[in-house]
Amino acid sequence: MPTKDDIQRLVHLIEAKSPRLTPDTPSPAMIGPELLNRANKAITHPIRAVLFDVYGTLFVSGSGDVGSALNKSRPEPFEKAYKQTGWEIINQAEFSSHAPERFFELIQEEHERLKLSGNTAPEVDIVQIFKTLTDELIRKSFISREPNANPDSDDFLLHKLSILFEILTNPAYPMPNLLNFLHQVVQKNIHFGIVSNAQFYTPLLFEAFLGRTPSLLGFDPALCIWSYRAGKAKPDPSVFDAPLFALENNYGIHPEDCLYLGNDMLNDIWSAYQNGMHTVLFAGDNRSLRTRENDERCRGLLPDSMIFNLPALLESVHFSSFQL
C-alpha cells in the first residue's frame, strides 16, 4: 500500500489529469417497458442503510465498471502510462505488440489461479499485475528507466503507473450533484457504505474530485468493500458478506432493511437480491447502464425501483434514521 505521502501525491496526480476527464452531462438511458414501470417506484419498507456502487452510479464511467472498457489491441495507453511514469521505451515495436497482450494474459492467469480455490468471480490487484509486467519488460529490454527520472520508490511508481493507465482507459467524473447528494444522505441519519468492483485508486476519486475521503463524506469504513482487497468481485453475492455482517453485528440492521444502488442488473441488482436486500437500478447514464437481458440470472428479475438521477433516490425511498 502507498504511504500517506504517496497517496497524497496520487491524489494530486488525479487532480492534475482531471481536465482531460471531461465532465460530460450523462444522458438518461433508453429503457424497455418492464423496467420503465419501476421508474421512481416508492419503496415503503423502512430503509436503515444504503450501499452504493461506484462506477456508473456515483461516478460517470464509460465502461460502467473498473477496467472493463479496455481494448486489448490498443498499445497507446500502455505507451503513454509508462512514458509519463519515467520509463523509456527502447524497442517500440516489441513493446507495443507485447505489453497489451501480456497484460491481459497476466490478468487471466491470476483469475484462473484464484478460481482453483473456488473463487467464482476473482479480482486481481492491478499493481501486482503491473509489477509482473514491468519486470518482464525490463528483462526483455523493451523499457529502461530514463536517465533523469525521479528516483521514486518502485512501490510508488507502480501505483503511479496504474493510476495513469486507468485515467487513460477509463476516465471517471462525479455524477451531477454528487457532493450535495451525499450531504443529503448524511442528513437522513442512515448508515451507508460502498460495495464496488474497484482498485486502490477508486477511493481516491472521492478526495480528488470532492475534496474529502469516503469516510469524511460519511461512508462507514466497516461498510465499504473494495474488490481488489477482497480478492473477489461482483456478481459474486458473497462480496456483500462483510458489510451485511457489520450492519447486523454493529447496528442490528438486517439485509431486508438495507438497499443497494447500482447501474448493472447482474453485478448490482442480482447479487444484492441474492442477499435479500432491496435494490434500486441507476439508469442515469446510457453509457454505463447494463440491463443484461441475455443473462439467465437476470431474466424476470426486476429492481424494486429505478431512478434517472441521484436525488431521486431520496424521494422514492422511505428512510428510517438512527438516533444520534
Side-chain angles (χ1 to χ4, degrees), residues 14 56 187 191:
I14 297 174
Q187 292 171 7
H191 302 281

Side-chain angles (χ1 to χ4, degrees), residues 5-55:
D5 287 342
D6 288 341
I7 290 175
Q8 189 59 40
R9 293 169 71 183
L10 288 169
V11 170
H12 290 328
L13 178 63
I14 297 174
E15 292 174 330
K17 294 295 177 183
S18 61
R20 77 170 301 278
L21 306 180
T22 308
D24 295 331
T25 301
S27 56
M30 300 298 292
I31 301 296
E34 282 192 336
L35 280 177
L36 197 57
N37 287 335
R38 296 284 169 166
N40 300 314
K41 183 176 180 180
I43 297 178
T44 57
H45 181 90
I47 296 299
R48 301 177 60 195
V50 178
L51 300 177
F52 294 96
D53 175 47
V54 173
Y55 294 97

Side-chain angles (χ1 to χ4, degrees), residues 154-217:
D154 291 342
D155 182 64
F156 175 73
L157 287 175
L158 287 169
H159 284 79
K160 182 177 180 180
L161 174 65
S162 302
I163 201 170
L164 276 168
F165 182 75
E166 175 68 6
I167 288 172
L168 292 165
T169 57
N170 185 31
Y173 199 85
M175 283 289 175
N177 304 310
L178 175 58
L179 183 58
N180 183 59
F181 167 72
L182 293 176
H183 285 162
Q184 294 181 64
V185 173
V186 169
Q187 292 171 7
K188 293 291 183 181
N189 288 337
I190 60 171
H191 302 281
F192 61 102
I194 291 169
V195 177
S196 174
N197 287 357
Q199 291 294 330
F200 79 93
Y201 41 68
T202 306
L204 298 179
L205 292 172
F206 293 87
E207 187 169 354
F209 289 108
L210 304 182
R212 300 180 189 176
T213 62
S215 60
L216 290 178
L217 288 166

Side-chain angles (χ1 to χ4, degrees), residues 14 22 28 56 100 109 112 144 152 157 182 226 228 246 254 259 261-262 264 266 275 287 290 303 306 311 313:
I14 297 174
T22 308
E109 289 171 7
E112 294 302 324
S144 67
D152 292 307
L157 287 175
L182 293 176
W226 314 98
Y228 82 101
H254 304 294
L259 179 148
L261 175 69
D264 190 311
L266 176 61
N275 283 285
R287 292 167 293 186
R290 301 290 182 265
M306 182 179 66
L313 183 73

